[in-house]
Amino acid sequence: ELWARMQRIEKGTEIGTRIFRAGLIDGPGPFQGPTKVLVATPEEAIKWVDWYADHGFFQVKLYSSLKPELVPVIAEEAHRRGLRVSGHIPSGMFADQAIEAGYDELQHVNFLMLNFMRDVTVTNGRQRFTAVAERGATIDLQSQPVRQFIELLRDRHTTLDPTLSVFEKMFLSRAGEVPPPFAPIFEQLPAQVRRGALAGDLPVPEGMDGRYRESFQRALQLVYTLWQAGVPIEAGTDGLAGFMLHRELELDVQAGIPAPQVLQLATLGAARICRRDAELGSIRPSKLADVVLVDGDPSVRISDVRKVLMTVKDGVIYDPAELDRELGVKPR
């Protein structure tokens, strides 16, 4: 299905982004992820890594119910076939162990924070969110475990995709209120999207409202600490396609990363991670013509990335206002 979509985009019969495929791998069980690629043995794991490599995928993403003992098996075969290894941290494993087993990239800041909660060992259910919301604020970013983790990340050249915007929504949304990441665009969205957004997100136990908010602030502080130490940060979202990337960049700046560096990590940095920086990620002669024109200066005001006047992909010009109308999105 994904390959067919990519072919339609390539032919111009469907509008879409550039797609770099990552193959999802999980283990069978009650909390298995959204994939039919479920492995329980080394043989099954190697078979699917090879399938992804043979079909042009550039990395694999491991999920939360995968057996920890299969991680090094997958990583070894993936690296042998030239694939990167990314993902969640499998239940029963911690982030530092996943890195040592061969991860090139970690998704989601909650798994980084769970690395410092060694008593939380079951992380393929809701606990991977609630434990962080309730205890994340207590993490000492100057502690020896945090410093050792940073050193490991740097030594292994691991990249991080913290998806801060999804945790802002998860930890700070309250039923009946506009979720914080949606606030700048809420009135532009179609009615059914607005209704869904007002439902709230992670239930907040009585007396824990302040702690949930503090834990999100600690997540921001952790991301800044990691970036400041030289660990590559990515601009992933895991949120509402087409809108949450802007919020992710704003949160990176809110965390303390200067806006020019945030723009760089979202463009050239992303291209480097995808091993496509020779043709994407910056505006240079001989590179592909992928350009966004905005009305403003996001290197000074990062929120100006929202003011898109024109999008050029591979030399083809798209009108954002026209696309928004087709989607039922109101103009700014």
Side-chain angles (χ1 to χ4, degrees), residues 135-152:
R135 298 168 53 183
T138 65
I139 296 173
D140 180 1
L141 299 182
Q142 305 305 316
S143 66
Q144 185 66 16
V146 172
R147 291 199 298 269
Q148 290 175 340
F149 185 57
I150 291 173
E151 286 300 316
L152 177 64

Side-chain angles (χ1 to χ4, degrees), residues 12-332:
T13 58
E14 181 173 326
I15 294 175
T17 64
R18 296 189 185 279
I19 296 172
F20 301 93
R21 291 175 294 167
L24 194 60
I25 301 177
D26 202 5
F31 300 109
Q32 65 193 39
T35 177
K36 292 185 175 67
V37 180
L38 304 172
V39 305
T41 68
E43 293 75 19
E44 292 173 341
I46 290 172
K47 181 193 78 170
W48 276 107
V49 171
D50 289 341
W51 190 93
Y52 284 132
D54 291 341
H55 288 80
F57 287 67
F58 91 106
Q59 73 178 32
V60 291
K61 176 176 180 177
L62 311 187
Y63 218 65
S64 302
S65 292
L66 184 71
K67 292 179 181 178
E69 60 266 28
L70 293 180
V71 172
V73 175
I74 291 172
E76 181 179 3
E77 181 67 7
H79 292 152
R80 187 184 74 81
R81 295 298 308 271
L83 304 184
R84 298 176 75 249
V85 178
S86 72
H88 292 194
I89 307 302
S91 184
M93 202 175 201
F94 293 98
D96 55 0
Q97 297 168 340
I99 295 167
E100 290 169 347
Y103 270 53
D104 301 295
E105 171 187 12
L106 301 179
Q107 270 99 35
H108 313 307
V109 71
N110 64 316
F111 288 115
L112 305 179
M113 300 175 84
L114 285 167
N115 193 65
F116 312 113
M117 304 176 192
R118 306 302 273 208
D119 59 319
V120 183
T121 57
V122 179
T123 56
N124 57 349
R126 180 171 284 194
Q127 192 175 13
R128 71 180 186 264
F129 308 127
T130 57
V132 174
E134 294 172 5
R135 298 168 53 183
T138 65
I139 296 173
D140 180 1
L141 299 182
Q142 305 305 316
S143 66
Q144 185 66 16
V146 172
R147 291 199 298 269
Q148 290 175 340
F149 185 57
I150 291 173
E151 286 300 316
L152 177 64
L153 289 166
R154 290 195 302 203
D155 289 346
R156 299 300 181 94
H157 306 289
T158 311
T159 65
L160 303 178
D161 176 16
T163 64
L164 288 167
S165 54
V166 75
F167 291 98
E168 180 186 43
K169 180 177 182 294
M170 189 178 294
F171 291 2
L172 304 189
S173 293
R174 303 294 182 262
E177 300 177 5
V178 176
F182 284 12
I185 53 155
F186 187 75
E187 294 304 324
Q188 295 175 250
L189 299 175
Q192 64 270 33
V193 178
R194 296 200 306 272
R195 281 197 298 270
L198 292 173
D201 206 297
L202 199 65
V204 182
E206 186 175 354
M208 294 295 290
D209 182 87
R211 172 56 65 86
Y212 274 46
R213 298 179 188 279
E214 291 168 1
S215 291
F216 179 69
Q217 290 302 313
R218 190 55 48 89
L220 292 175
Q221 294 163 7
L222 174 60
V223 168
Y224 176 73
T225 299
L226 293 165
W227 173 84
Q228 194 175 40
V231 178
I233 302 297
E234 306 171 31
T237 63
D238 218 24
L240 184 62
F243 292 95
M244 285 300 98
L245 178 60
H246 300 146
R247 184 56 184 163
E248 191 73 20
L249 303 185
E250 290 171 341
L251 288 172
D252 285 337
V253 171
Q254 188 176 318
I257 305 174
Q261 279 67 52
V262 169
L263 292 173
Q264 188 176 63
L265 68 85
T267 52
L268 185 58
R272 284 172 176 159
I273 288 167
C274 292
R275 302 169 180 168
R276 296 289 294 273
D277 51 300
E279 55 188 352
L280 293 169
S282 59
I283 302 172
R284 294 286 186 274
S286 81
K287 286 197 170 186
L288 297 176
D290 284 11
V291 183
V292 176
L293 178 67
V294 300
D295 181 15
D297 185 354
S299 69
V300 177
R301 298 170 300 277
I302 193 63
S303 292
D304 283 354
V305 295
R306 297 180 179 275
K307 302 175 183 178
V308 180
L309 298 179
M310 180 176 70
T311 298
V312 181
K313 179 200 163 193
D314 206 15
V316 178
I317 298 175
Y318 298 89
D319 178 0
E322 183 179 355
L323 295 177
D324 283 345
R325 284 194 299 271
E326 291 296 318
L327 293 169
V329 176
K330 299 176 183 177
R332 290 177 58 88

